[in-house]
Amino acid sequence: MAMTLTDDQNMLRDTARDFMASEAPVTHFRKFRDMGCKDGFSHGLWKQFAELGFTGILIPEADGGMGMGQIEAGIVLEEIGRNLSPSPFLTTSVAAVEALKLADKAMRDRWFPGILAGETVIGIAIEEGVKHRPEKIACVATRSGNGFKLTGQKQFVVQGASSDMLIVAARTAGAVGETAGLTLFAVDKDAAGLSMEAARLVDSAVAAHVKLDGVQVDADAVIGEVDGGWAVLSKILDAGRVGAAAEMVGVGTGAMDMTFEYLKTRKQFDRVIGEFQALQHRAAHLYGEMEGARSIVLKAQSLMDEGHAKAELYVAAAKAKAGLACNLSVREGVQMHGGIGMTDEYDIGLYMKRDRSLNEFFGDAYYHADRVATMNGY
Amino acid sequence: MAMTLTDDQNMLRDTARDFMASEAPVTHFRKFRDMGCKDGFSHGLWKQFAELGFTGILIPEADGGMGMGQIEAGIVLEEIGRNLSPSPFLTTSVAAVEALKLADKAMRDRWFPGILAGETVIGIAIEEGVKHRPEKIACVATRSGNGFKLTGQKQFVVQGASSDMLIVAARTAGAVGETAGLTLFAVDKDAAGLSMEAARLVDSAVAAHVKLDGVQVDADAVIGEVDGGWAVLSKILDAGRVGAAAEMVGVGTGAMDMTFEYLKTRKQFDRVIGEFQALQHRAAHLYGEMEGARSIVLKAQSLMDEGHAKAELYVAAAKAKAGLACNLSVREGVQMHGGIGMTDEYDIGLYMKRDRSLNEFFGDAYYHADRVATMNGY
Amino acid sequence: MSDRETFRAEARAWLEENCPAEMRIPAKGDEDVCWGGRNFVFQSEAQKVWLERCVAKGYTVPDWPKAYGGAGLSPQETKILRQEMAKLGCRSPLNSFGIWMLGPALLKFGTEEQKVHYMGQIARGEIRWCQGYSEPGSGSDLVSMQTFGEDKGDHWVVNGQKIWTSYADKADWIFCLVRTDKTNKYQGISFLLFDMETAGVSTKPIKLISGNSPFCETFFDNVVVPKHQIVGEINRGWDVAKYLLGHEREMISGMGGDGGVTSIGAAMKATLAEESVLRAQMALFDVDNLTFRAHGERFMDEWKTGKAHPAYSNLMKYVGTELNKKRNELVMSIGGSQALEWESERANGGSKARNWLRTKANSIEGGTSEVMLNVVSKRILEMPGG
Amino acid sequence: MSDRETFRAEARAWLEENCPAEMRIPAKGDEDVCWGGRNFVFQSEAQKVWLERCVAKGYTVPDWPKAYGGAGLSPQETKILRQEMAKLGCRSPLNSFGIWMLGPALLKFGTEEQKVHYMGQIARGEIRWCQGYSEPGSGSDLVSMQTFGEDKGDHWVVNGQKIWTSYADKADWIFCLVRTDKTNKYQGISFLLFDMETAGVSTKPIKLISGNSPFCETFFDNVVVPKHQIVGEINRGWDVAKYLLGHEREMISGMGGDGGVTSIGAAMKATLAEESVLRAQMALFDVDNLTFRAHGERFMDEWKTGKAHPAYSNLMKYVGTELNKKRNELVMSIGGSQALEWESERANGGSKARNWLRTKANSIEGGTSEVMLNVVSKRILEMPGG
């Protein structure tokens, strides 16, 4: 596969770019933030996503979706990142859809139409500690009646309290730390014993702390195979990670462009500060880092779309690199903006906050560098 | 203790600085390198060290030495580093002397006079692998006759083949990886079963691969307590590490000064390159790193001289920081010198080589950062 | 007993007798800190008593001369007093830009009357000061400032705008750089003092990315400032400002962290045990942190004995603030998703995230890292060029 | 079968039949490489046969036109051929600055006669070329060069000195920048070709810190160069040089490592298992290494389709060479004391240390990292200022 976008992909990018810039720019984000919106995003915008086909971008054509791949999802995510557009796209249309693609027809029919319509939101309930450790799932699902009873707690469930359904990873066998013995469940928001406490995050997204107090689900709530949930979870994780990486390419590029623009206009000591060589070199270095991040993310997406054996390695590298580059971009952005970069009035600080959340989502750069090392055999 | 040198220490520094600059400058190093000297240093210079009292700087006054501390030894080492002066000072007068200070009178009387006279050279035979792992000593000493029989191999024994005696760490009890059960021995260079193969290093120092093939030593060859060698070894290591750190402060500062001088004279694009802001900022950053290294090394030396409980932590931090800063200095040095920095004719490359050896000696920056973490409780 | 030991024993006894128990537990946050001033509301009787007793003893500013409200202690005695306060856990009786910044400037540049009057007020916690340096558009380039004081014989009429005035909305007086000669860039600035209640002064808090508003915009609309309210000579305010910036840098360079060498890694042991690469970052940070502590100690010892380069505080400011930013990045990484929470009680109201964001200003305020590097390069390393 | 598949099968069959077995095992070092030229001594019969067969087939320069000694393959076919060669482990039949640098310049700027003559010689491995760009004192500032060619009607008489001429002591001809107009800095340089055996040419190897001498100083003392030995127009040699530097940068940027994504960490597993912080550095390096591979792939795909910014190769050169330096620092760290050995057989004659030192030149030769950052900043990011 050539590492350039096809004409169709370029068209999609133009569409997504125009749409986010006009319908969900940073002012849109500010509006929902400042109203203290309990969801942290606009349901109206989510409907508009659906109208453009974005919500079903990864849903197979046979199921009514666009049947596209990670590259296309990433194109949308990059524009989301560039504009800080708040939406359930990453969790619902990317991570959850990848899981549901492995579900049986009944479940697909139950959830895909709502996603396609921009009406359904799905939360991913995996994390149990403050750091990402998917194999350390301790939440248990014990056989009970026609199905299972789930007990445990989950954290950092982005948009969890706004979700119609949660995908919950629980242990049906094996010990904490093992990848075998996990099972994934679709748990309805109204299930008895399910409670949530919403917490606003630094980037104004809202994540939930979830309690599962003997939540009874039917056997048909299982996504994929009982005890074989790691296969489903892996899909969620790879898609969520590469998706977050793509969004960070957008966040980092948005911050960088804003900063470079500022360097070209701001005057200090009677000179435009972009004339200062020390800043020029840092700018050029940053550009190289962001270009590298863009490349490794595209590579990881391609390999996932090809079903390549090395996809997981590249996804880890992509999440790590995009995280490091985006983090550099927002740090340089705030520093180069100087005092006004510290004010809430300027946008650059919002990019710094978003970067932080995305870096943490599904494993930070250090976690993924560690995985790269392990996968590379040392 | 104030973190400034006393008047006496300043006087010592002036003496050491004048001496190294006139008797053992880089041209001296080049001379011995280019003649392919098998020792890698000048015995004549070693005698001169003795005349100034340097060789016995750490030997107690009661034993005929100057009875000074790590700060004073470090003052000499910094000037050695600045001039790349080749000598057995670090191994013999610092590491070995610290071990022998814990030996009984007979052994001190056996070795201190030769060191004081600048006639004796002692090698430290600890390393058994390519990376520093002092607790992983596998070389064994089994009881035999009146003493012990030593069997095993050692590497990276700097000036080993030029040594009159080797201090050998061997296991008399315990398992590989344990600090208990080690014993240190003074092994004469002519001992039967001891063989050495000299290898020239990148910085033209000569290190030995040592084989101990059932080397018989008397019981009085033991330095310190049988099975309690870790106490002696720790003295060697701390002194060797903080000493290497002090030498790296000298190497890094020497390289930095040379580079800053070059920045002030070299012209490119019709300007002195020191006018370029990108280089100025890198220069200022480097200066800060070297100043930091100088400070932590002084702190570690003070704490060692005080016998402070935190000395080991600071020694680890000092070896790490001096290593990182000196490495930055030589890298920036070669890069800022441009093409001529790559030539053997210019001195900056020699500093790069010396840095590399010193960084590796008794544990590199990463090893010591790891120890800092462990000592800090995580 | 040596003089020092005697002093230590006396100081200890005084503190034990006079420092209320409530003032020996650590302040919880900014609201627990005593800033003094006309409108300050004491949070407790203990806070008030502690201030009053220290004022009476001269211990709000122990090293200032007694004539100006201090206790006239030597640097050695001041250090001993601080050590004893630290041992007992005594809170600072009074925080103040007057103590940290204006006082030292007055001591060097003020008239005797000014010292007695203003330093006395500061020492007694009667007047809370703010600093008017930066202007919109001036940033690092302080001398490009536009706020102008028109000469009206016995007074100036000041018009213009300042920005980044810390707590201007809570301050009683301001020390302020004002252009009094438009024809001379450096030697056309005066260092003026005036009451924030003077007609024509208004302030507007600036909301920061941390969600807090410690800074204001401050506006001057025909503000009348009598001529005697100047520190130093007319048009030579830049000398005062530079001197004072040096003090500010020392203060900010101390911000390299927790004021000590405690590793944040230890508290997070369980997390780090599972995060090998993050642990390595923490380890390398701890090396830098220990280094900075030692560096600061050496700097202070050299500074006190006059051996430090006059521009060295710029280096310390650069190193310390960059280190503090790095520290807070690590705190956020180790804190994980919980550190992201912005309002919850679980996350202490988002204190980690807010602190992290706040530290981003460290390398901007009081001279940016870029300006510090310029200064180190030019003045210490003597690199060529403009 | 598609055309591509057919070509692949044919190429494979040809290679299997024609590439001698000895030429399918990796070259051990520089001495195993075939550089061609008048004085080249083949190291084995197989090496000679392999070159001859490739020459006959046009496979020393497969993508050059047949008229100039190539095989006239399309970029796609060239890629397939390279893949098949890699699969069989075939060595490069011929390494040459003529192929990598002069050839592309001739293809763009040369006359038809020059292409047939010089490119043919290059393709056949008959003439080994070196490059005369840098001069003592010019460094990054190439156009400040002083070597002067005096116009004598039908020839120039060249006097001056070059430095960093790779393997000048082994080269047959040189392509050389010579000032032919002292009044115009940029448009006063010509791109000349001449025989190193011409009277007045002498060379002196430069010993590097790696202990090797791949570069020379080259002296010109009244060297006569006929006018037809110019590439491009008189005084417009800078255009040729710039074009060629772009090619050099692409080549050097490929040096980011082993040409692949193999982690050096895997081979050092046992060491890294005990070195937690070093392992973390290696892990972060591997992230950068995978990134650079993907970046290079994307760059080449964009370059080929004309989508890459013309100055983008400067960015790749910067990133790739800095990465390669970092890689070699890690190789040295992981190699520990054994990697320090300079001459021993155990350490393969100090190959790790020598390679490590060699890589320090990566970010200097072919345009320093600083120049690359300037170019990226000015031309791609369009930052203001001179």
Side-chain angles (χ1 to χ4, degrees):
Chain A
M1 238 230 46
M3 288 275 282
T4 50
L5 297 188
T6 63
D7 290 346
D8 284 352
Q9 289 164 344
N10 275 318
M11 259 176 55
L12 174 66
R13 189 193 57 193
D14 294 345
T15 305
R17 186 164 293 180
D18 291 348
F19 172 74
M20 297 301 166
S22 72
E23 300 303 308
V26 180
T27 48
H28 170 94
F29 166 75
R30 281 187 180 278
K31 187 178 134 197
F32 279 80
R33 180 191 76 154
D34 294 345
M35 70 169 65
C37 169
K38 74 169 178 43
D39 293 314
F41 66 91
S42 152
H43 288 279
L45 183 69
W46 190 226
K47 279 263 189 200
Q48 286 178 283
F49 269 53
E51 282 154 24
L52 286 166
F54 292 167
T55 57
I57 201 162
L58 287 170
I59 294 179
E61 286 179 282
D63 289 313
M66 295 182 72
M68 292 176 168
Q70 301 302 330
I71 295 182
E72 287 81 5
I75 286 169
V76 175
L77 281 160
E78 181 179 338
E79 300 310 318
I80 287 175
R82 193 190 306 275
N83 294 282
L84 306 180
S85 317
S87 88
F89 184 80
L90 179 56
T91 48
T92 302
S93 296
V94 177
V97 163
E98 282 299 317
L100 291 172
K101 278 159 81 172
L102 297 181
D104 55 27
K105 185 157 189 326
M107 194 183 290
R108 295 207 310 277
D109 287 346
R110 166 80 182 82
W111 295 108
F112 279 163
I115 296 172
L116 286 164
E119 283 166 358
T120 297
V121 172
I122 298 178
I124 308 293
I126 296 169
E127 309 294 0
E128 300 188 2
V130 299
K131 297 298 284 183
H132 182 61
R133 282 278 145 195
E135 75 287 1
K136 291 249 168 156
I137 287 166
C139 176
V140 290
T142 47
R143 293 266 176 192
S144 160
N146 170 39
F148 297 85
K149 202 186 269 286
L150 276 61
T151 306
Q153 59 84 28
K154 299 285 174 181
Q155 306 178 12
F156 200 20
V157 183
V158 178
Q159 288 140 359
S162 314
S163 294
D164 301 285
M165 182 265 272
L166 298 182
I167 295 180
V168 177
R171 191 161 288 286
T172 38
V176 172
E178 291 175 9
T179 55
L182 295 175
T183 306
L184 273 83
F185 297 92
V187 179
D188 199 276
K189 71 164 193 285
D190 299 320
L194 179 73
S195 61
M196 290 198 246
E197 177 205 335
R200 190 168 301 279
L201 304 183
V202 63
D203 64 342
S204 288
V206 180
H209 289 259
V210 174
K211 260 201 175 152
L212 298 128
D213 192 6
V215 175
Q216 179 72 40
V217 295
D218 287 344
D220 60 11
V222 172
I223 306 172
E225 305 293 323
V226 173
D227 292 351
W230 188 255
V232 185
L233 187 51
S234 294
K235 288 277 179 188
I236 296 179
L237 294 178
D238 277 349
R241 287 161 179 169
V242 85
E247 190 171 338
M248 285 193 285
V249 168
V251 171
T253 307
M256 179 173 76
D257 290 348
M258 191 182 304
T259 302
F260 289 175
E261 197 47 43
Y262 188 74
L263 290 180
K264 290 174 190 171
T265 49
R266 168 74 169 170
K267 280 196 174 180
Q268 291 269 276
F269 305 105
D270 299 325
R271 288 165 71 186
V272 177
I273 60 176
E275 289 181 40
F276 289 104
Q277 197 199 30
L279 296 186
Q280 290 183 342
H281 280 201
R282 280 159 56 187
H285 175 76
L286 168 59
Y287 175 71
E289 292 293 290
M290 283 309 308
E291 283 289 285
R294 175 178 298 284
S295 306
I296 185 85
V297 170
L298 182 57
K299 181 77 183 175
Q301 291 163 338
S302 306
L303 295 177
M304 278 180 71
D305 289 340
E306 285 172 33
H308 195 285
K310 289 267 182 190
E312 200 181 350
L313 172 68
Y314 277 84
V315 168
K319 180 68 165 70
K321 186 67 197 183
L324 293 167
C326 183
N327 185 257
L328 178 68
S329 182
V330 298
R331 284 188 287 115
E332 286 288 48
V334 169
Q335 178 67 23
M336 289 184 183
H337 272 79
I340 61 156
M342 288 300 298
T343 64
D344 186 72
E345 190 186 340
Y346 266 71
D347 291 342
I348 189 73
L350 304 177
Y351 282 81
M352 176 170 270
K353 294 173 178 183
R354 188 83 193 109
D355 165 67
R356 177 50 66 182
S357 270
L358 286 168
N359 248 296
E360 202 59 41
F361 186 73
F362 283 179
D364 67 12
Y366 304 130
Y367 173 83
H368 287 290
D370 192 51
R371 290 182 70 236
V372 165
T374 305
M375 285 189 267
N376 269 341
Y378 62 95
Chain B
M1 237 231 47
M3 288 274 282
T4 50
L5 296 188
T6 63
D7 289 346
D8 284 351
Q9 289 164 343
N10 276 318
M11 258 176 55
L12 174 66
R13 190 193 57 193
D14 293 345
T15 305
R17 185 164 293 181
D18 291 348
F19 172 73
M20 298 300 165
S22 71
E23 300 303 309
V26 181
T27 48
H28 170 93
F29 166 74
R30 282 186 179 275
K31 186 176 134 196
F32 279 80
R33 180 191 75 154
D34 294 344
M35 69 170 65
C37 169
K38 73 168 180 45
D39 293 314
F41 66 90
S42 152
H43 287 280
L45 183 69
W46 190 226
K47 279 262 187 201
Q48 284 178 286
F49 269 52
E51 282 156 23
L52 287 166
F54 292 166
T55 58
I57 202 163
L58 288 170
I59 294 178
E61 287 179 282
D63 288 312
M66 294 181 74
M68 291 177 168
Q70 300 302 331
I71 295 181
E72 287 82 4
I75 286 169
V76 175
L77 280 161
E78 180 179 339
E79 300 310 319
I80 286 175
R82 192 189 305 275
N83 294 281
L84 306 180
S85 317
S87 88
F89 185 79
L90 180 56
T91 49
T92 302
S93 295
V94 178
V97 163
E98 282 300 316
L100 292 170
K101 278 159 81 172
L102 298 180
D104 56 27
K105 187 158 186 327
M107 194 182 293
R108 294 207 310 278
D109 288 346
R110 167 76 181 85
W111 296 109
F112 279 162
I115 296 172
L116 286 164
E119 283 165 358
T120 297
V121 172
I122 299 178
I124 308 294
I126 296 168
E127 309 294 357
E128 300 187 3
V130 299
K131 296 299 286 183
H132 182 61
R133 281 278 147 194
E135 76 286 1
K136 290 248 167 156
I137 286 166
C139 176
V140 291
T142 48
R143 294 267 176 190
S144 160
N146 170 40
F148 296 85
K149 201 186 271 289
L150 275 62
T151 304
Q153 60 83 26
K154 298 285 175 182
Q155 306 178 12
F156 200 20
V157 183
V158 177
Q159 287 140 359
S162 314
S163 294
D164 301 284
M165 182 265 272
L166 297 183
I167 295 181
V168 177
R171 193 161 285 288
T172 39
V176 173
E178 291 175 11
T179 55
L182 295 176
T183 305
L184 274 88
F185 298 93
V187 178
D188 200 276
K189 71 164 193 288
D190 299 320
L194 179 72
S195 61
M196 288 197 248
E197 177 205 336
R200 189 167 302 276
L201 304 183
V202 63
D203 65 341
S204 290
V206 181
H209 288 260
V210 175
K211 260 201 174 154
L212 298 129
D213 191 7
V215 175
Q216 179 72 40
V217 295
D218 288 343
D220 60 10
V222 172
I223 306 171
E225 304 293 324
V226 173
D227 292 350
W230 188 255
V232 186
L233 187 50
S234 294
K235 287 276 180 190
I236 295 179
L237 294 179
D238 277 350
R241 286 161 179 169
V242 85
E247 190 172 337
M248 285 193 284
V249 168
V251 172
T253 307
M256 179 173 75
D257 291 349
M258 192 182 304
T259 302
F260 289 175
E261 197 49 43
Y262 187 74
L263 290 180
K264 290 174 189 171
T265 49
R266 166 76 168 170
K267 279 195 175 181
Q268 291 269 276
F269 305 104
D270 299 324
R271 289 165 70 185
V272 176
I273 60 175
E275 289 180 38
F276 288 103
Q277 197 199 30
L279 296 186
Q280 290 183 342
H281 280 201
R282 279 159 58 188
H285 175 77
L286 168 59
Y287 175 72
E289 291 294 289
M290 283 309 309
E291 283 290 285
R294 177 178 296 284
S295 306
I296 185 83
V297 170
L298 182 57
K299 181 77 184 175
Q301 290 163 337
S302 306
L303 295 177
M304 277 180 73
D305 288 341
E306 285 173 32
H308 196 284
K310 288 269 182 191
E312 201 182 351
L313 172 68
Y314 277 84
V315 169
K319 180 70 166 66
K321 186 67 197 182
L324 293 167
C326 183
N327 185 257
L328 178 68
S329 181
V330 298
R331 283 187 288 116
E332 287 287 48
V334 168
Q335 178 67 22
M336 289 183 183
H337 272 78
I340 61 156
M342 288 299 299
T343 64
D344 186 72
E345 191 186 337
Y346 266 73
D347 291 342
I348 189 73
L350 304 176
Y351 283 81
M352 176 170 271
K353 294 174 177 182
R354 188 84 194 108
D355 165 67
R356 177 49 69 182
S357 269
L358 286 168
N359 250 295
E360 201 59 41
F361 187 74
F362 283 0
D364 67 13
Y366 304 129
Y367 173 84
H368 286 290
D370 191 51
R371 290 182 70 235
V372 165
T374 305
M375 285 189 267
N376 269 341
Y378 64 96
Chain C
M1 225 165 27
S2 73
D3 286 354
R4 285 189 200 175
E5 284 163 5
T6 310
F7 177 78
R8 187 181 295 277
E10 286 171 4
R12 174 82 177 201
W14 187 88
L15 289 168
E16 282 183 344
E17 189 171 331
N18 289 283
C19 185
E22 298 102 300
M23 292 296 107
R24 298 189 198 182
I25 52 170
K28 267 179 226 133
D30 205 38
E31 60 279 10
D32 265 1
V33 171
C34 176
W35 285 97
R38 292 195 287 239
N39 303 310
F40 186 73
V41 179
F42 288 101
Q43 297 299 300
S44 66
E45 183 62 22
Q47 191 183 45
K48 182 158 177 279
V49 165
W50 178 222
L51 175 61
E52 284 168 358
R53 288 176 183 166
C54 284
V55 166
K57 184 81 175 173
Y59 276 3
T60 55
V61 284
D63 56 345
W64 286 11
K66 287 188 178 175
Y68 314 144
L73 300 191
S74 70
Q76 192 58 249
E77 289 168 333
T78 306
K79 195 172 169 182
I80 291 170
L81 176 64
R82 297 242 155 86
Q83 285 168 345
E84 292 305 313
M85 285 179 72
K87 278 185 206 157
L88 288 179
C90 307
R91 288 190 200 166
S92 164
L94 181 63
N95 278 13
S96 148
F97 293 114
I99 295 175
W100 301 326
M101 302 171 78
L102 181 59
L106 284 169
L107 204 57
K108 186 167 173 78
F109 295 96
T111 63
E112 185 59 24
E113 291 76 10
Q114 288 175 330
K115 289 178 193 174
V116 172
H117 179 68
Y118 294 117
M119 290 176 75
Q121 286 182 330
I122 290 167
R124 296 186 298 272
E126 291 166 4
I127 293 296
R128 182 170 180 179
W129 289 85
C130 66
Q131 177 198 51
Y133 275 27
S134 295
E135 296 187 7
S138 76
S140 292
D141 186 15
L142 265 184
V143 293
S144 70
M145 63 179 61
Q146 304 291 326
T147 293
F148 185 64
E150 196 185 346
D151 193 330
K152 296 284 191 178
D154 67 342
H155 67 275
W156 289 280
V157 172
V158 176
N159 279 285
Q161 181 181 353
K162 294 285 173 185
I163 195 167
W164 308 122
T165 33
S166 304
Y167 300 112
D169 52 338
K170 292 175 179 144
D172 305 311
W173 277 61
I174 187 168
F175 49 97
C176 190
L177 289 179
V178 174
R179 183 159 297 287
T180 41
D181 179 352
K182 291 186 180 178
T183 63
N184 193 322
K185 198 168 176 183
Y186 286 88
Q187 300 194 3
I189 295 171
S190 296
F191 191 100
L192 307 187
L193 314 175
F194 52 93
D195 196 318
M196 291 293 279
E197 287 183 3
T198 315
V201 178
S202 59
T203 65
K204 186 180 154 206
I206 301 166
K207 188 174 175 196
L208 295 188
I209 55 177
S210 63
N212 302 324
S213 301
F215 299 109
C216 293
E217 290 181 281
T218 304
F219 305 90
F220 308 128
D221 179 17
N222 289 322
V223 176
V224 173
V225 181
K227 284 261 171 103
H228 65 85
Q229 287 175 204
I230 186 173
V231 179
E233 292 172 46
I234 293 180
N235 292 329
R236 300 305 295 261
W238 186 237
D239 299 342
V240 186
K242 269 198 306 183
Y243 178 78
L244 210 149
L245 275 173
H247 265 270
E248 187 180 9
R249 262 157 217 161
E250 276 176 70
M251 192 174 93
I252 294 177
S253 76
M255 286 168 48
D258 55 4
V261 293
T262 314
S263 169
I264 51 175
M268 297 297 191
K269 189 186 164 95
T271 298
L272 290 178
E274 296 200 332
E275 303 281 339
S276 160
V277 179
L278 177 54
R279 174 182 174 277
Q281 305 307 307
M282 190 68 225
L284 291 166
F285 171 82
D286 270 352
V287 168
D288 281 336
N289 189 42
L290 288 167
T291 297
F292 183 68
R293 301 301 138 198
H295 197 176
E297 215 182 303
R298 179 173 148 244
F299 166 54
M300 289 315 296
D301 286 343
E302 294 200 339
W303 187 263
K304 280 184 294 191
T305 51
K307 285 179 200 147
H309 190 287
Y312 206 91
S313 64
N314 293 275
L315 177 67
M316 297 309 290
K317 202 259 171 189
Y318 164 69
V319 178
T321 55
E322 294 296 331
L323 187 72
N324 201 32
K325 289 196 297 178
K326 177 83 185 151
R327 172 196 299 274
N328 278 273
E329 290 284 338
L330 287 168
V331 166
M332 288 302 287
S333 287
I334 298 173
S337 60
Q338 186 164 308
L340 296 176
E341 294 190 17
W342 190 241
E343 294 162 338
S344 70
E345 206 169 313
R346 178 188 303 108
N348 196 21
S351 64
K352 279 185 182 164
R354 290 168 197 267
N355 284 340
W356 161 66
L357 289 164
R358 173 65 184 85
T359 59
K360 298 302 175 191
N362 294 166
S363 53
I364 297 168
E365 62 202 338
T368 63
S369 281
E370 290 76 14
V371 169
M372 297 300 103
L373 289 170
N374 284 342
V375 172
V376 170
S377 163
K378 299 275 169 54
R379 293 187 52 201
I380 303 183
L381 309 185
E382 297 175 347
M383 287 294 156
Chain D
M1 221 160 35
S2 73
D3 287 354
R4 285 189 199 174
E5 284 162 6
T6 310
F7 177 78
R8 189 182 294 277
E10 286 170 5
R12 174 81 175 203
W14 188 88
L15 290 167
E16 283 184 343
E17 188 172 329
N18 290 282
C19 185
E22 299 102 299
M23 291 296 105
R24 298 190 198 180
I25 53 172
K28 269 180 222 130
D30 205 39
E31 59 280 7
D32 266 0
V33 170
C34 176
W35 286 95
R38 291 195 287 240
N39 304 311
F40 185 72
V41 179
F42 288 101
Q43 298 297 299
S44 65
E45 183 61 21
Q47 191 182 43
K48 184 159 176 276
V49 165
W50 179 222
L51 175 62
E52 284 168 358
R53 288 179 183 164
C54 284
V55 166
K57 184 80 176 173
Y59 276 5
T60 55
V61 284
D63 55 344
W64 288 11
K66 288 189 179 176
Y68 313 145
L73 300 191
S74 69
Q76 192 58 251
E77 289 168 332
T78 306
K79 196 173 170 183
I80 291 170
L81 175 65
R82 296 244 155 86
Q83 287 169 345
E84 292 305 313
M85 285 179 72
K87 278 185 206 158
L88 287 179
C90 307
R91 288 191 200 165
S92 164
L94 180 64
N95 278 11
S96 149
F97 293 114
I99 295 175
W100 301 326
M101 302 171 79
L102 180 58
L106 284 170
L107 204 57
K108 187 168 172 76
F109 295 96
T111 63
E112 184 59 23
E113 291 77 11
Q114 288 176 329
K115 289 176 192 175
V116 172
H117 179 69
Y118 294 117
M119 291 176 74
Q121 286 181 329
I122 291 167
R124 295 186 297 272
E126 291 166 4
I127 295 295
R128 183 170 180 177
W129 288 85
C130 66
Q131 178 199 52
Y133 274 27
S134 296
E135 297 186 8
S138 76
S140 292
D141 186 14
L142 265 186
V143 292
S144 70
M145 63 178 61
Q146 304 291 324
T147 293
F148 184 62
E150 197 184 346
D151 192 331
K152 295 285 190 177
D154 67 342
H155 66 276
W156 289 281
V157 172
V158 177
N159 280 284
Q161 181 181 353
K162 293 286 173 182
I163 195 167
W164 308 123
T165 34
S166 303
Y167 300 112
D169 51 339
K170 292 176 179 143
D172 305 312
W173 276 61
I174 187 168
F175 50 96
C176 190
L177 289 178
V178 174
R179 183 159 297 288
T180 41
D181 180 352
K182 292 186 181 178
T183 63
N184 193 322
K185 199 169 176 183
Y186 286 86
Q187 300 194 2
I189 294 170
S190 296
F191 191 99
L192 307 186
L193 314 175
F194 51 95
D195 195 318
M196 292 293 279
E197 287 183 3
T198 313
V201 178
S202 59
T203 64
K204 187 181 153 204
I206 302 166
K207 189 176 175 193
L208 294 188
I209 54 178
S210 62
N212 302 325
S213 301
F215 299 109
C216 293
E217 291 179 279
T218 305
F219 305 91
F220 307 129
D221 181 17
N222 289 322
V223 177
V224 173
V225 181
K227 284 263 170 101
H228 64 86
Q229 287 175 200
I230 186 172
V231 180
E233 292 171 45
I234 293 181
N235 292 330
R236 299 306 294 261
W238 187 237
D239 299 342
V240 186
K242 269 198 305 184
Y243 178 78
L244 210 149
L245 276 173
H247 265 270
E248 188 180 9
R249 264 158 216 160
E250 275 176 69
M251 192 174 93
I252 294 176
S253 75
M255 287 168 46
D258 54 6
V261 294
T262 314
S263 168
I264 50 176
M268 297 298 193
K269 189 183 163 97
T271 299
L272 290 177
E274 296 199 333
E275 303 281 338
S276 159
V277 180
L278 177 54
R279 176 182 173 276
Q281 305 307 307
M282 190 68 226
L284 291 166
F285 171 81
D286 269 352
V287 169
D288 281 336
N289 189 41
L290 288 167
T291 297
F292 183 67
R293 300 302 139 199
H295 197 175
E297 216 183 302
R298 179 173 147 243
F299 166 54
M300 289 315 296
D301 286 343
E302 295 199 339
W303 187 264
K304 281 184 292 188
T305 52
K307 285 179 199 147
H309 190 288
Y312 205 92
S313 64
N314 294 275
L315 177 67
M316 297 309 290
K317 202 259 171 187
Y318 164 70
V319 177
T321 55
E322 293 297 332
L323 187 72
N324 200 32
K325 289 196 297 178
K326 177 82 185 153
R327 171 196 299 274
N328 279 273
E329 290 285 337
L330 287 168
V331 166
M332 289 303 288
S333 287
I334 298 173
S337 60
Q338 186 164 308
L340 296 176
E341 295 190 16
W342 190 240
E343 294 162 338
S344 70
E345 206 169 313
R346 179 187 303 108
N348 196 19
S351 63
K352 280 185 182 165
R354 291 168 196 266
N355 284 340
W356 160 66
L357 289 164
R358 174 64 184 87
T359 59
K360 298 303 177 192
N362 295 166
S363 52
I364 297 169
E365 61 202 338
T368 64
S369 280
E370 291 75 16
V371 168
M372 297 299 103
L373 290 170
N374 284 342
V375 172
V376 170
S377 163
K378 299 275 167 56
R379 292 188 54 202
I380 303 183
L381 309 184
E382 298 175 345
M383 288 293 158

